[in-house]
Amino acid sequence: MPQRRPMWIMRQAGRYLPEYRELRSKAGSFLDLCYNPAMAAEVTLQPLRRFDFDAAILFSDILVVPHAMGLSLAFKEGEGPVLETVKDIHDVERLDLRGEQFKRVFETVGLVKRDLLPHQTLIGFCGAPWTVASYMIEGGSSKRKTALAIAIKNPAWFSLMMAKLVAASTTYLLGQISAGAEVVQIFDSWAGDVPLAHLERLVINPIAAIVRGVRAVHTNYPVIVFARGLGRGHAGVARATAANCAGLEEDVAIGSVLADLPAGIAVQGNLHNELLLGNVDELLGHTREVLNAVPMERHIFNLGHGILPQTEIRMVERLVKEVRAFD
Ligand code: CP3
């Protein structure tokens, strides 16, 4: 039984925090910040100094994996990521995990771990193969139509790329775990784009393979699977991937998903991130709805997606206070 309902917020280290913006401008680019262990560790810890959260999530990005596999990567101001694209079998064959980038991320994990308080959990993460593959095909955050068309046609090079992503992501998570991560979250941010007929091949199997790879080394290691956009499909995916916890987007009834899950599996989520931009009464009303829908021992309170950069600090403070006062 947890002492209290655990709580953290996706993208909790980020632009809504003035101390983040300050360090980020000192670091240079977003990637420079990700690959500077001292600065990345500091940014990871910033939200925990300000708010009474129960977990720190490693400050990094899901695109570090394709970057470490040899694809060039930049983050353009106001535009998001720009990743070198993969177009054919030759591009896929060239993908090769060099690992130099990983080492710096693992160093960050070690630094964060050293500074956390005993009740604070360190979360590591990676992107799920489908989401990362979408970026590798599209080159950025655009529409993902090309990625889906290629995935459905399923040329040999796409399957090989997915297999390479499973292997690299497993290595990436195992390194984070060795460095001190106590739970990992697998982000499948674009799972909701996948037609049901392809869900097993594109979403479930690759995630399940990563989970197996992690647990082959660390038996029963806890994993949160955030397959964003699956609605009622979350329970099935959590079961099929052997997740310990299903991360839920907003706009899904968290209590119904919980009801579809065996007792050993928890849910995470799923307050709408835009409620933090509106009025306090509405924020607190919806927060209590989420809290009422699931018991403390099977819930990790979170948003349904990352906190927005324009969020005011006072709204986060109010939210934390409400969650703490509830149980
Ligand atoms: O606090 C945390 O949650 C930990 C750090 C974290 C980041 N990205 C930092 C980040 C995590 C867990 C991620 C995951 C990530 N990255 C995902 C999956 C989660 C999701 O949001 O669905 C995805 C799809 C990415 C790829 C990515 N990174 C995009 C599309 C963008 C641009 C959009 C944006 O918000 O600007 C990023 C940039 C990014 N990653 C920022 C941060 C704090 C903003 C960069 C900045 O400081 O300018």
Side-chain angles (χ1 to χ4, degrees):
M1 257 296 265
Q3 313 274 301
R4 62 180 190 179
R5 197 180 292 244
M7 155 178 213
W8 65 284
I9 283 184
M10 286 189 277
R11 291 274 170 98
Q12 63 189 22
R15 285 163 295 186
Y16 74 108
L17 292 176
E19 59 271 33
Y20 170 83
R21 294 195 297 268
E22 198 192 320
L23 208 72
R24 164 90 156 69
S25 67
K26 278 192 198 141
S29 72
F30 170 71
L31 264 190
D32 290 333
L33 179 55
C34 287
Y35 293 140
N36 180 324
M39 283 187 168
E42 172 57 24
V43 162
T44 304
L45 292 162
Q46 280 174 347
L48 283 89
R49 300 213 173 93
R50 212 184 246 280
F51 310 110
D52 186 16
F53 291 149
D54 299 286
I57 181 157
L58 163 69
F59 188 83
S60 179
D61 200 86
I62 63 166
L63 300 180
V64 162
V65 170
H67 195 210
M69 293 168 96
L71 297 181
S72 65
L73 173 66
F75 283 81
K76 297 241 163 90
E77 220 51 62
E79 245 180 78
V82 182
L83 182 66
E84 185 183 346
T85 55
V86 165
K87 291 171 249 22
D88 53 33
I89 188 77
H90 305 292
D91 291 346
V92 176
E93 278 167 354
R94 271 198 299 274
L95 294 172
D96 175 31
L97 194 58
R98 286 153 213 180
E100 277 311 305
Q101 288 91 339
F102 282 8
K103 283 188 198 141
R104 282 175 268 173
V105 175
F106 301 158
E107 206 182 309
T108 305
V109 173
L111 292 177
V112 174
K113 177 80 169 187
R114 199 191 59 191
D115 283 354
L116 282 180
L117 300 172
H119 76 278
Q120 297 166 333
T121 300
L122 177 50
I123 307 174
F125 73 92
C126 71
W130 162 245
T131 291
V132 177
S134 310
Y135 282 99
M136 291 164 81
I137 291 167
E138 306 283 351
S141 307
S142 60
K143 296 179 198 68
R144 306 184 299 281
K145 287 286 178 221
T146 314
L148 192 59
I150 289 171
I152 288 174
K153 259 185 151 176
N154 196 21
W157 69 262
F158 180 82
S159 316
L160 179 62
M161 182 166 91
M162 291 290 276
K164 283 191 167 196
L165 280 171
V166 167
S169 307
T170 305
T171 302
Y172 189 46
L173 291 183
L174 286 171
Q176 294 177 37
I177 296 165
S178 295
E182 295 158 284
V183 43
V184 291
Q185 174 156 322
I186 301 175
F187 285 89
D188 214 346
S189 303
W190 305 131
D193 290 350
V194 175
L196 197 57
H198 296 273
L199 199 67
E200 199 167 293
R201 180 170 61 88
L202 298 177
V203 172
I204 293 174
N205 295 346
I207 295 176
I210 295 172
V211 174
R212 273 197 309 275
V214 164
R215 294 200 185 129
V217 181
H218 303 277
T219 317
N220 296 329
Y221 190 86
V223 179
I224 304 168
V225 170
F226 178 53
R228 189 165 74 95
L230 289 189
R232 286 297 289 270
H234 282 288
V237 169
R239 248 187 300 232
T241 57
N244 301 85
C245 179
L248 310 183
E249 72 278 4
E250 61 284 341
D251 303 332
V252 39
I254 191 166
S256 319
V257 175
L258 190 79
D260 290 344
L261 283 169
I265 307 183
V267 285
Q268 173 177 278
N270 71 340
L271 186 76
H272 203 305
N273 57 3
E274 301 217 5
L275 289 166
L276 284 161
L277 308 177
N279 79 59
V280 175
D281 289 340
E282 211 187 331
L283 168 71
L284 301 184
H286 283 277
T287 301
R288 284 191 295 269
E289 257 176 50
V290 172
L291 293 166
N292 268 316
V294 276
M296 166 172 101
E297 58 277 8
R298 290 184 70 191
H299 187 210
I300 300 170
F301 187 90
N302 206 317
L303 304 180
H305 202 195
I307 188 167
L308 297 163
Q310 62 271 39
T311 305
E312 289 176 50
I313 306 282
R314 67 176 176 95
M315 295 294 274
V316 182
E317 287 169 347
R318 198 60 198 82
L319 171 67
V320 174
K321 197 171 157 207
E322 195 66 17
V323 175
R324 292 308 177 211
F326 185 81
D327 292 298

